[in-house]
Amino acid sequence: MEPKCVVFANQKGGVGKTTLAVHMAIHAHNMGFRTLLVDLDQQGSSTFLLTGDADRHQTEAGTALDLWYPNRKVPVQVSPIFGFDFLQASAALDAVDDDLDPAIRALRRLLVVDSGQGPYHVVVVDCPPAPGVRQMAPLMVADRLVVPVTPDALGTQGLASMIQLGLTQVRPVNPKLELRVLINRLKANSPKNRAIAQNLHDQLPEFVLPDDLYEREDVRTGLRLGKPYWEVCRDAGQQDAWYQTFDGLLEGVEGDEAQTQGVEVDAPDNADEILAQQEARRGEVMS
Ligand SMILES: Nc1ncnc2c1ncn2[C@@H]1O[C@H](COP(=O)(O)OP(=O)(O)OP(=O)(O)O)[C@@H](O)[C@H]1O
Ligand SMILES: [Mg+2]
């Protein structure tokens, strides 16, 4: 079984790609799924959040760049802060931006790489804030594209072209790609923000996720403490919105059989009746 691949991309910077990709990976890991986060941004922001080391990406060896070399193994590491696996960024990742085909081959390796305990259940990709090979190639292998947007005039710039890219260039080649728009950093006291968010829900109901995520200092505080926002926040409404959002993004992710066997199934209310009927039928056949 191949992992589900969820890609966070938007050419607009600062909309929350990294923050939300890391939350996605935390939630998947907490749910017991074997999870791999891939940092394709040469700025290495998620590599920093996962390691606490701001210079970690200043190297080429042992980074996501190795995906481009089929004879090198995929250098997965474990986040000492969050406990899930990741593939770190390299400041030299822009060296691979000329050719799409090798990039698609490189990223396909993510779907077959072994975690050591079997294939991953979920692969989360954090993309750089620029259109190009490292945004396009992940979409070619992805099951789900999440486009974070901030509900302001600048933040929604580029959304139309992201949707266009997904629908007209990627879907014909990768028909399984689902598109999701996630409103993030909404300033609760800004009527303008609220109006733009409402407009997005009205205009793009098939893509925009139901819950808006607010701009909250606790988001940053949580990540500094190695915790998702819903574990540190003081707002029940937003706690629910964040949890539901990431839970929804896990839809369709399948764990091991052993995991699903553990799920308890309630007997139907009329179980006795069904059993009695079956018993009676058994009698019929026997006689
Ligand atoms: N809901 C939120 N509330 C408060 N701060 C947030 C929220 N989402 C993101 N941030 C903060 O906004 C900044 C930009 O977020 P982030 O780095 O996740 O965006 P990005 O889209 O990955 O940026 P880049 O384009 O540079 O890769 C960060 O400082 C992050 O902590
Ligand atoms: Mg980022």
Side-chain angles (χ1 to χ4, degrees):
M1 170 94 59
E2 277 190 356
K4 277 264 183 248
C5 179
V6 184
V7 172
F8 288 78
N10 187 344
Q11 40 242 39
K12 178 80 183 64
V15 291
K17 295 177 289 293
T18 298
T19 303
L20 304 175
V22 171
H23 273 81
M24 174 91 234
I26 295 172
H27 186 54
H29 176 67
N30 286 348
M31 295 303 281
F33 295 119
R34 286 193 292 274
T35 304
L36 175 65
L37 186 141
V38 183
D39 187 357
L40 288 185
D41 185 357
Q42 72 276 14
Q43 300 176 97
S45 311
S46 45
T47 300
F48 167 61
L49 287 175
L50 268 44
T51 60
D53 177 357
D55 293 324
R56 185 72 158 243
H57 63 299
Q58 303 292 355
T59 173
E60 292 184 29
T63 71
L65 261 180
D66 286 349
L67 290 171
W68 271 258
Y69 299 86
N71 55 346
R72 293 190 193 164
K73 74 173 191 37
V74 182
V76 166
Q77 311 176 44
V78 182
S79 163
I81 298 175
F82 296 101
F84 57 77
D85 287 2
F86 72 105
L87 204 47
Q88 75 157 68
S90 163
L93 267 166
D94 51 0
V96 300
D97 284 347
D98 292 336
D99 277 316
L100 185 59
D101 279 334
I104 295 173
R105 281 196 294 276
L107 293 171
R108 283 224 175 95
R109 295 182 69 192
L110 296 172
L111 306 181
V112 292
V113 64
D114 195 89
S115 70
Q117 272 105 41
Y120 289 99
H121 299 127
V122 191
V123 174
V124 181
V125 183
D126 180 18
C127 291
V133 161
R134 276 176 293 135
Q135 182 183 77
M136 188 75 171
L139 300 188
M140 293 299 188
V141 305
D143 295 280
R144 201 161 279 158
L145 161 63
V146 183
V147 186
V149 294
T150 51
D152 49 60
L154 279 178
T156 52
Q157 266 178 13
L159 176 58
S161 60
M162 280 306 295
I163 293 179
Q164 196 67 8
L165 172 76
L167 296 183
T168 62
Q169 286 179 275
V170 180
R171 274 260 183 86
V173 195
N174 176 18
K176 68 180 189 300
L177 185 77
E178 292 172 13
L179 259 112
R180 299 281 182 267
V181 173
L182 178 48
I183 297 174
N184 182 35
R185 307 190 69 179
L186 186 150
K187 295 187 179 70
N189 56 3
S190 160
K192 251 199 182 148
N193 266 217
R194 287 181 178 279
I196 292 175
Q198 189 55 52
N199 200 33
L200 287 170
H201 285 289
D202 294 343
Q203 301 288 315
L204 302 166
E206 70 275 46
F207 300 127
V208 179
L209 289 168
D211 291 300
D212 299 339
L213 310 184
Y214 288 6
E215 168 87 19
R216 287 290 160 84
E217 185 55 36
D218 284 346
V219 173
R220 287 184 276 255
T221 311
L223 290 179
R224 273 199 298 273
L225 296 171
K227 291 190 158 82
Y229 172 66
W230 54 83
E231 282 183 21
V232 297
C233 78
R234 295 158 287 182
D235 170 342
Q238 276 296 293
Q239 181 179 45
D240 205 46
W242 280 69
Y243 190 85
Q244 294 300 333
T245 295
F246 291 98
D247 212 42
L249 289 174
L250 277 183
E251 192 193 315
V253 174
E254 287 173 41
D256 290 343
E257 241 177 292
Q259 258 175 328
T260 41
Q261 274 168 8
V263 174
E264 283 185 28
V265 179
D266 284 333
D269 288 335
N270 58 344
D272 288 344
E273 204 180 302
I274 295 171
L275 285 175
Q277 276 171 9
Q278 284 189 334
E279 193 60 27
R281 278 204 205 107
R282 193 157 72 114
E284 278 166 25
V285 177
M286 300 277 281
S287 61

